[in-house]
Amino acid sequence: MRDREKIAALIPAAGYSSRMGDFKPLIKLNGITVIENSIAGFIKAGIHNVRVITGHRSDEITPVLDRIGIRYIINKGFDSGMFSSIVAGLKEIVNDTDGFFLLPGDMPLVKPRTIEIILEEFKKSSAAVLYPAFRGERGHPPLITGKCFDKILSADLSSNLRSVLSEFENESADVDVIDRSILMDIDTPEELDKAKEYIKRGDIPTLDECAALFTKYKADERVIRH
């Protein structure tokens, strides 16, 4: 059984937000900033070793992180892309963790229960990577274990995480979750509007989340029609 207490979370938030037209980490969503929403899911799920990787406009994000007591890493080479932020973050935690969740900073709606389900699977699994999956589609945040650390740290910064983790595909597993938000980022104003509508639903599942629930629990056809 693996130790969930030695699991961290890395949240890259170093990019330019060019498609949004506004600085995504500090946009208000559900009464707090996007980056605070991204952090909150981990804290509620019991993951307290959360690190945010900053770069562009770092001096504006770090006061928010200081206020809520979250550690951060400044990636001076953020122009190289998100993979450079992942490497910068992993270097800070590599000696103290058995694995880390990776959540881009513009995916702030992942449910704490989703993180808990992945942690539960981690305790009994030997997988190198555990991917949350909604209706057969992988999303974020994957839980990347120590088996992958050396490969990530030795890869060229011009690489990307997907290609590095593809080397561990035969050792990886999908974890089914009833959480559409693992596929939802907020790159554009239109996606931000969709995120706001999703939040308004509270605990009410969307139609596709209902469909996933029916499949998981093998609901009777009469129930589905009703």
Side-chain angles (χ1 to χ4, degrees):
M1 183 180 294
R2 298 193 285 187
D3 185 2
R4 63 175 282 173
E5 298 304 317
K6 293 189 71 176
I7 298 298
L10 296 181
I11 304 178
Y16 287 107
S17 306
S18 54
R19 293 174 60 195
M20 176 60 72
D22 198 353
F23 190 44
K24 287 188 292 186
L26 300 184
I27 292 173
K28 286 294 182 71
L29 183 65
N30 200 29
I32 57 177
T33 63
V34 164
I35 195 63
E36 288 174 278
N37 275 281
S38 299
I39 293 164
F42 290 112
I43 301 300
K44 290 176 182 176
I47 301 295
H48 296 286
N49 186 7
V50 180
R51 312 289 182 99
V52 175
I53 303 93
T54 69
H56 179 59
R57 295 171 66 170
S58 179
D59 59 333
E60 297 175 47
I61 304 177
T62 51
V64 174
L65 302 176
D66 284 334
R67 175 171 53 80
I68 61 177
I70 296 296
R71 287 175 286 183
Y72 53 84
I73 299 120
I74 299 175
N75 176 19
K76 295 181 179 178
F78 71 91
D79 272 344
S80 298
M82 186 185 290
F83 187 67
S84 69
S85 290
I86 296 167
V87 171
L90 180 54
K91 284 179 178 178
E92 292 288 324
I93 64 170
V94 66
N95 294 322
D96 303 312
T97 57
D98 293 333
F100 67 94
F101 284 99
L102 177 69
L103 183 70
D106 62 356
M107 298 189 73
L109 303 181
V110 174
K111 295 177 173 63
R113 181 57 185 152
T114 291
I115 296 166
E116 291 169 356
I117 289 169
I118 299 170
L119 285 170
E120 288 164 8
E121 187 63 28
F122 170 78
K123 289 170 66 176
K124 57 188 180 183
S125 170
S126 61
V129 186
L130 291 167
Y131 294 96
F134 176 63
R135 304 192 75 186
E137 186 174 354
R138 287 177 173 177
H140 282 88
L143 176 50
I144 302 164
T145 73
K147 291 182 178 182
C148 307
F149 287 2
D150 286 344
K151 283 286 186 182
I152 294 171
L153 292 174
S154 62
D156 191 279
L157 291 182
S158 63
S159 185
N160 61 75
L161 187 65
R162 184 188 298 271
S163 65
V164 175
L165 295 186
S166 68
E167 299 185 39
F168 299 91
E169 185 59 32
N170 292 336
E171 301 177 68
S172 299
D174 291 356
V175 181
D176 290 328
V177 296
I178 312 299
D179 185 0
R180 180 176 171 233
S181 68
I182 69 165
L183 307 175
M184 296 173 62
D185 58 13
I186 53 166
D187 271 340
T188 66
E190 292 76 21
E191 289 169 344
L192 178 60
D193 289 340
K194 289 178 182 178
K196 291 176 179 177
E197 290 301 315
Y198 187 82
I199 286 173
K200 287 180 183 178
R201 300 184 68 88
D203 293 327
I204 301 171
T206 62
L207 288 176
D208 51 357
E209 288 173 338
C210 287
L213 281 166
F214 294 150
T215 299
K216 179 177 181 178
Y217 294 106
K218 299 179 174 62
D220 187 275
E221 185 63 34
R222 291 169 296 179
V223 173
I224 296 173
R225 287 199 304 269
H226 176 73

